[in-house]
């Protein structure tokens, strides 16, 4: 049985807590019966006339443990395949896709679509409820940006899960990638090994820019690394970016702000009542013990309500800049600390991996070149 991604589990936990009423209303089984619509507007691929489709479908279903009988339909359009969540599942083919695939490749494509069914049935339909909620939110102009970004990343994670279903169904990485390439490019033949070399030339851990699907090259990279036992969810999450957080990142950013404010308030040279009061806007317990925070290393992400969060990620440039301003605000919160507080903040920024802090402080405070050099030199003595 395929395991859902950590991102799926974390979002499910957060959405159930934050939107219990909406989640309950959307929690349920398959969509209403669309079979009459399909029979009127599509061509049903019956086994006598299309034995290859049904043979590939049985292979995929057996590999994935799907026991429901699947129906197949064909419509015109660009090459594509889609899963329709019915009591009796439907896979809808579009355009000349079937003409381009051999049986193994078709098994992979059907496995991808049937994996959607596995996800929607998991957790007693919980992931289907989240999907419906995020879809509904994405169509509402009033929806906060955090929900829109969650919807985007959720869609990316869902496609990575379905790709794993494709690989599980056909049992071969090259076949899975070749089927993906044929679908994406329209080519009748493709070289999976060359495509994986292309993927290695990119920094795909910086995150996908896709809206509903990761870029095909990222999907191939993720499959290869999944087979190798590597963590690939950076393709979904990217770095922690204060300018584009999802629901999970909003929690993490609050914790990050709280932790860094606590560290600042306990830094020698800034440990005053005025700085502690300013830090209280970020920390529930500004008087608690300070810790060592290293922002030049991947961020350690704590769970949200017990849900497993995506693995550690680096900080985006915008997030580091935000932390620089947080540090400067607290470093100047008490006028009595004077230059000593600025020197202490420069030393803390260097220890925390925030080299841009000196430029932020210089821009905001209007140092002369001589002042800047003096402050930097003094901070290096502090360590």
């Amino acid at each position: 049985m395929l395991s859902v991604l950590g991102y799926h589990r974390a979002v499910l936990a957060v959405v159930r807590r934050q939107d219990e009423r909406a989640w309950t209303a959307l929690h349920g089984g398959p969509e209403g019966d669309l079979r009459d619509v399909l029979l009127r507007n599509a061509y049903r691929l019956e086994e006598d006339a299309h034995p290859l489709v049904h043979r590939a479908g049985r292979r995929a279903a057996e590999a994935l443990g799907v026991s429901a009988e699947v129906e197949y339909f064909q419509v015109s359009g660009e090459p594509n395949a889609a899963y329709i969540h019915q009591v009796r599942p439907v896979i809808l083919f579009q355009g000349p896709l079937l003409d381009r695939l051999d049986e193994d490749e078709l098994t992979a494509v059907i496995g991808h679509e049937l994996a959607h069914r596995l996800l929607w049935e998991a957790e007693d339909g919980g992931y289907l409820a989240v999907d419906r909620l995020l879809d509904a939110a994405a169509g509402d102009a009033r929806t906060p940006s955090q929900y829109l970004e969650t919807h985007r990343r959720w869609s990316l994670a869902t496609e990575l899960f379905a790709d794993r279903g494709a690989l599980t169904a056909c049992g071969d990485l090259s076949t899975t990638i070749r089927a993906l390439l044929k679908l994406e490019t329209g080519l009748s033949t493709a070289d999976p090994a060359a495509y994986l070399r292309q993927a290695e030339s990119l920094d795909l851990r910086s995150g996908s820019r896709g809206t509903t699907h990761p870029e095909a090259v990222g999907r191939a990279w993720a499959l290869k690394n999944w087979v190798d036992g590597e963590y690939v969810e950076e393709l979904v999450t990217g770095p922690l970016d204060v300018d584009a957080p999802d629901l999970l990142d909003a929690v993490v950013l609050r914790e990050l702000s709280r932790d860094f404010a606590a560290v600042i308030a306990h830094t020698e040279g800034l440990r005053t009542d005025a700085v502690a009061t300013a830090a209280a806007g970020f920390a529930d317990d500004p008087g608690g013990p300070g810790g060592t925070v290293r922002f030049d290393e991947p961020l350690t992400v704590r769970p949200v309500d017990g849900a497993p969060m995506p693995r550690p990620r680096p900080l985006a440039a915008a997030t580091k800049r935000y932390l620089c301003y947080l540090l400067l605000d607290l470093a100047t919160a008490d006028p009595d600390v004077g230059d000593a507080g600025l020197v202490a903040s420069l030393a803390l920024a260097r220890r925390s991996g925030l080299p841009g802090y000196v430029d932020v402080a210089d821009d905001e405070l209007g140092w002369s070149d001589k002042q800047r050099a003096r402050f930097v030199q003094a901070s290096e003595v502090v360590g």
Side-chain angles (χ1 to χ4, degrees), residues 155-160 163 180 184 208-219 235-236:
S155 299
L156 302 183
T158 297
E159 292 306 318
L160 293 189
D163 284 343
L180 170 65
E184 291 288 326
S208 169
R209 300 173 186 175
T211 53
T212 60
H213 293 61
E215 298 86 349
V217 69
R219 294 168 66 181
L235 186 66
V236 173

Side-chain angles (χ1 to χ4, degrees), residues 256-328:
L256 178 60
S257 300
R258 180 196 66 197
D259 291 351
F260 196 33
V263 170
I264 296 166
H266 288 82
T267 296
E268 187 66 34
L270 293 170
R271 196 178 299 140
T272 72
D273 289 343
V275 174
T277 299
F282 301 95
D284 296 331
D285 182 18
T292 300
V293 181
R294 294 272 307 189
F295 295 106
D296 57 337
E297 296 178 354
L299 176 68
T300 300
V301 181
R302 282 185 289 278
V304 176
D305 288 352
M309 293 286 291
R311 289 270 292 277
R313 299 128 66 196
L315 303 182
T319 305
K320 289 189 175 184
R321 186 170 179 80
Y322 158 73
L323 293 171
C324 287
Y325 274 100
L326 190 160
L327 175 56
L328 182 60

Side-chain angles (χ1 to χ4, degrees), residues 56-294:
R58 283 192 292 270
R59 285 179 55 190
E62 182 178 357
L64 293 171
V66 174
S67 58
E69 185 177 354
V70 183
E71 280 195 301
Y72 304 94
F73 287 84
Q74 173 75 43
V75 294
S76 62
E78 293 297 315
N80 201 3
Y83 169 73
I84 301 175
H85 193 50
Q86 303 277 280
V87 174
R88 184 178 183 181
V90 170
I91 294 178
L92 182 65
F93 297 105
Q94 183 174 303
L97 179 62
L98 293 177
D99 294 336
R100 298 174 180 170
L101 303 175
D102 64 25
E103 182 176 333
D104 291 337
E105 294 160 354
L106 182 55
T107 301
V109 169
I110 294 175
H112 175 103
E113 302 307 330
L114 290 181
H116 285 282
R117 183 176 183 86
L118 295 182
L119 183 60
W120 301 156
E121 290 183 334
E123 291 291 331
D124 191 28
Y127 296 111
L128 175 60
V130 173
D131 192 78
R132 288 171 173 171
L133 175 62
L134 293 175
D135 272 345
D140 190 333
R142 300 166 296 178
T143 297
S145 61
Q146 293 173 7
Y147 272 85
L148 297 179
E149 180 62 14
T150 304
H151 178 258
R152 186 187 75 87
R153 296 186 194 181
W154 176 272
S155 299
L156 302 183
T158 297
E159 292 306 318
L160 293 189
F161 175 81
D163 284 343
R164 296 176 184 182
L167 177 54
T168 302
C170 75
D172 182 71
L173 177 63
S174 293
T175 299
T176 306
I177 296 175
R178 190 166 57 248
L180 170 65
L181 283 169
K182 286 185 176 182
L183 193 153
E184 291 288 326
T185 67
L187 293 171
S188 58
T189 184
D191 184 349
Y195 202 51
L196 288 174
R197 290 193 296 272
Q198 178 179 328
E200 291 301 324
S201 69
L202 297 168
D203 178 19
L204 293 168
R205 296 188 183 277
S206 62
S208 169
R209 300 173 186 175
T211 53
T212 60
H213 293 61
E215 298 86 349
V217 69
R219 294 168 66 181
W221 170 87
L223 274 175
K224 170 64 166 56
N225 282 274
W226 180 61
V227 169
D228 293 342
E230 299 291 332
Y231 182 77
V232 300
E233 293 195 34
E234 298 100 327
L235 186 66
V236 173
T237 61
L240 182 64
D241 190 348
V242 71
D243 286 343
D246 66 352
L247 290 171
L248 307 182
D249 287 352
V251 176
V252 175
L253 287 164
R254 287 195 296 271
E255 292 188 349
L256 178 60
S257 300
R258 180 196 66 197
D259 291 351
F260 196 33
V263 170
I264 296 166
H266 288 82
T267 296
E268 187 66 34
L270 293 170
R271 196 178 299 140
T272 72
D273 289 343
V275 174
T277 299
F282 301 95
D284 296 331
D285 182 18
T292 300
V293 181
R294 294 272 307 189

Side-chain angles (χ1 to χ4, degrees), residues 22-64:
W23 186 87
T24 300
L26 292 166
H27 188 275
E31 304 290 348
D33 191 2
L34 299 177
R35 195 163 182 270
D36 184 67
V37 175
L38 290 168
L39 289 172
R40 288 176 181 274
N41 297 281
Y43 168 65
R44 184 170 59 190
L45 301 169
E46 296 188 354
E47 184 166 9
D48 288 346
H50 303 276
L52 180 66
V53 172
H54 287 262
R55 191 163 60 243
R58 283 192 292 270
R59 285 179 55 190
E62 182 178 357
L64 293 171

